[in-house]
Amino acid sequence: MEQRQITLENLNIIGPDYYAKNGYPHAEWTYLRAHDPVHWTEFPNTDPFWAITKHADIVQIAKQPKLFSIVKRLLVFVPDQPSEPDPVPPFRHLLNMDPPEHGEYRSIVSRRFTPRAVRELEPEIDRIAREVLDGVTGKTQCDFVTDVSSRVPLAVIAELLGVPRKDWDQLFRWTNETIGGADPEFQDGTSQDETFERARLGLFQYFTDLVNEKTKRPANDITSIVAAASVNGTPMPQFEMLSYFLLLVVAGNETTRNATTGGLLALIENREQWDRLKKNPALIKPAVEEIVRWTTPVIQFARTATEDTEIRGRKIKAGESVCLFYPSANRDEEVFDNPCKFDIGRDPNPHIAFGIGEHFCLGANLARLELEVIFRQLVERMEYAELAGPVERLRSSFVGGIKHMPIKMKLNPARQ
Amino acid sequence: MKVVVDLKLCEGNQRCMEAAPEVFDVREDDKAHLLMERPPESLREKVKLAMRMCPRQAITLED
Ligand code: HEM
Ligand code: SF4
């Protein structure tokens, strides 16, 4: 990382290029937590916002969804060229609805995501993870992202939605394009907006057909539930329905993938933690929590004040937005002892990598289980792993991640 | 001390039960049930931990 003196004037916490080059700006966030935890930020091509970097402030904001609405601005989006916001948002789903409507929509599928419901998927997730790892067993080198960490989350959500296996690859491309649209690797020569738009329309068309299919032959999958759902006594409108699928397909992919990749990287870089987990597999649950805290794959979401208010003494005017930097909250020295230490036994671990309150990640229990299964198998089967080249980071200040991570490794076949 | 769970928010994440099993029980309906509505003072710290850990921030303490 470049060595320079951080000041309030030269901070860069939102430019996607910074993230591609350096990863997360933890030094900047640490500086902000100490010197200006509610920091007015201006950056080209996006409306100014308050950068919120303290754990307690994010919790306070997230649990007041009426005072801090998600509808006007769900995240701080930084396009490459100046652009006018769409007069009509290209989707309407949980992440741009406020209460009470938000709760009506969320409860349609929420029981599918409770710890109890999710537990039942364990054998299936176990099988998916085993197949993925079998695919690289015997190799001495692989790209951990392409070959392993990107495969499991997509397979799991596709399975939950009842998407036939033959369509998984196509689904995978669309999800990459919707989230990774700011990264040239996924742009296919067109602009970020065009990339997103093409993927969105592809997904909408695909799910229109799948909904028709599931309406004729309902199955025990989430697509069938959403297809049959009504809201306040009337059938769910088509646009909201298609948006629901867009959200479910996209939300769980990049995030879980990056937690997996970043988790392995952390274990490679902190070998004593790897050995500790290997010796004591019962640490898997706290280890997963620590991996999620450490990686915090979602960098930020935003809210907009609906009335004049105040945070930590700063006056926030109605209409101004606040940007919630989750990775900063998860290294808040007022909440975590030794926040910059990766410690798989950390307890308690009140991280907010899944958000908190009204919009708390619907898939949190599912993501936790996926990570548990993957890391349990990795610890069991992997004799060693080390980096075989530099990691390549995603150009995004929304979902942080590693695009490619070449590793040298030895993976044993699964125990029968 | 009186504990209230907003059942519209609660989604059975079970964190409350882990923090204060004397007070919260998450049942088949995936909702937190109160084993006591007015827990003794000795449980205050545990209840506060449950409040803090609840991902949906569904728990409130009255007085
Ligand atoms: C490690 C993996 C994951 C991380 C770090 C993560 C993170 C987040 C965060 C921070 C939010 C809150 C947004 C806010 O407060 O504005 C969120 C919302 C959401 N997540 Fe996740 N997520 C992950 C995995 C998943 C998975 C596997 C799914 C599967 C369906 C999923 C589905 C959702 C949905 C539907 C929402 C919107 C909830 C709402 O607005 O009510 N996520 N996620
Ligand atoms: S932790 Fe909160 S959401 Fe979870 S069961 Fe308890 S009250 Fe409900």
Side-chain angles (χ1 to χ4, degrees), chain A residues 19-20 22-24 143-146 149-150 176 183 185-186 253-266 269 294-295 297 299 387 389-396 399-407:
Chain A
Y19 285 83
N22 306 300
Y24 286 7
D143 174 359
F144 188 71
V145 179
T146 313
S149 65
S150 61
N176 278 335
D183 193 289
E185 179 171 337
F186 301 110
N253 269 303
E254 288 269 338
T255 45
T256 314
R257 167 195 319 184
N258 290 319
T260 312
T261 313
L264 182 64
L265 182 60
E269 288 176 342
W294 188 252
T295 56
I299 299 165
L387 286 186
V391 300
E392 259 184 74
R393 297 181 189 278
L394 194 65
R395 184 175 177 275
S396 166
V399 173
I402 295 176
K403 273 197 303 183
H404 300 293
M405 184 166 92
I407 59 168

Side-chain angles (χ1 to χ4, degrees), chain B residues 5 9-17 26 32 54-56 58-59:
Chain B
V5 175
L9 282 175
C10 173
E11 285 177 349
N13 284 292
Q14 301 177 358
R15 288 298 157 118
C16 52
M17 195 163 75
V26 178
C54 172
R56 298 279 286 160
I59 306 170

Side-chain angles (χ1 to χ4, degrees), chain A residues 44-230:
Chain A
N45 300 342
T46 195
D47 291 333
F49 58 88
W50 294 99
I52 311 294
T53 47
K54 293 287 284 178
H55 190 283
D57 296 343
I58 296 185
V59 173
Q60 280 313 310
I61 292 169
K63 66 191 271 193
Q64 300 181 76
K66 289 188 183 125
L67 180 55
F68 293 102
S69 157
I70 203 170
V71 171
K72 284 210 190 76
R73 190 181 197 184
L74 89 146
L75 55 100
V76 174
F77 173 62
V78 184
D80 290 333
Q81 286 96 33
S83 66
E84 285 300 309
D86 285 329
V88 190
F91 47 77
R92 236 172 77 71
H93 55 48
L94 296 180
L95 284 173
N96 53 0
M97 289 179 185
D98 283 333
E101 188 186 28
H102 173 262
E104 299 275 342
Y105 273 87
R106 181 159 166 133
S107 63
I108 291 166
V109 298
S110 59
R111 288 205 68 189
R112 286 288 178 128
F113 290 95
T114 63
R116 240 159 33 85
V118 156
R119 261 307 142 201
E120 286 173 25
L121 306 170
E122 187 164 354
E124 187 61 28
I125 297 176
D126 218 65
R127 189 185 56 73
I128 289 170
R130 179 141 16 91
E131 278 177 23
V132 167
L133 289 184
D134 287 348
V136 291
T137 303
K139 290 191 186 172
T140 54
Q141 194 161 340
C142 76
D143 174 359
F144 188 71
V145 179
T146 313
D147 297 333
V148 180
S149 65
S150 61
R151 307 243 156 212
V152 178
L154 179 85
V156 171
I157 198 71
E159 192 74 50
L160 277 179
L161 288 168
V163 171
R165 200 167 264 253
K166 65 175 171 43
D167 302 329
W168 289 10
D169 282 342
Q170 177 59 59
L171 204 62
F172 189 52
R173 276 196 296 277
W174 282 323
T175 58
N176 278 335
E177 289 166 2
T178 38
I179 288 229
D183 193 289
E185 179 171 337
F186 301 110
Q187 281 178 358
D188 210 4
T190 55
S191 76
Q192 177 172 5
D193 284 356
E194 286 164 339
T195 307
F196 175 83
E197 198 46 23
R198 203 179 22 167
R200 180 182 73 95
L201 292 176
L203 279 169
F204 275 17
Q205 186 54 54
Y206 181 80
F207 277 100
T208 306
D209 297 341
L210 193 63
V211 163
N212 285 336
E213 174 69 31
K214 301 280 178 189
T215 308
K216 278 188 229 131
R217 278 176 289 276
N220 184 29
D221 52 39
I222 292 181
T223 307
S224 302
I225 295 179
V226 176
S230 46

Side-chain angles (χ1 to χ4, degrees), chain A residues 264-279 342 344 382-387 408:
Chain A
L264 182 64
L265 182 60
L267 288 165
I268 289 176
E269 288 176 342
N270 299 274
R271 213 155 277 273
E272 77 292 348
Q273 300 292 320
W274 173 266
D275 294 339
R276 199 174 159 203
L277 185 55
K278 206 154 177 123
K279 270 203 215 90
F342 176 69
I344 61 163
M382 208 167 225
E383 292 227 346
Y384 84 101
E386 60 184 74
L387 286 186
K408 283 191 272 204

Side-chain angles (χ1 to χ4, degrees), chain A residues 38 50 52 56-74 95 97-99 301-312 314-324 356 358-359:
Chain A
V38 179
W50 294 99
I52 311 294
D57 296 343
I58 296 185
V59 173
Q60 280 313 310
I61 292 169
K63 66 191 271 193
Q64 300 181 76
K66 289 188 183 125
L67 180 55
F68 293 102
S69 157
I70 203 170
V71 171
K72 284 210 190 76
R73 190 181 197 184
L74 89 146
L95 284 173
M97 289 179 185
D98 283 333
F301 273 105
R303 304 288 192 268
T304 301
T306 54
E307 293 166 34
D308 290 357
T309 181
E310 207 169 285
I311 305 168
R312 223 172 261 272
R314 289 271 190 204
K315 300 234 179 312
I316 313 288
K317 289 209 212 71
E320 288 177 351
S321 48
V322 291
C323 179
L324 316 179
I356 191 159
E358 185 75 21
H359 294 277

Side-chain angles (χ1 to χ4, degrees), chain B residues 32-59:
Chain B
H33 296 256
L34 288 173
L35 298 175
M36 43 178 112
E37 248 177 56
R38 294 182 176 279
E41 270 309 305
S42 56
L43 289 174
R44 186 178 283 272
E45 284 313 307
K46 282 191 169 185
V47 171
K48 280 177 129 175
L49 179 65
M51 283 172 67
R52 197 156 63 100
M53 294 303 282
C54 172
R56 298 279 286 160
Q57 296 286 291
I59 306 170

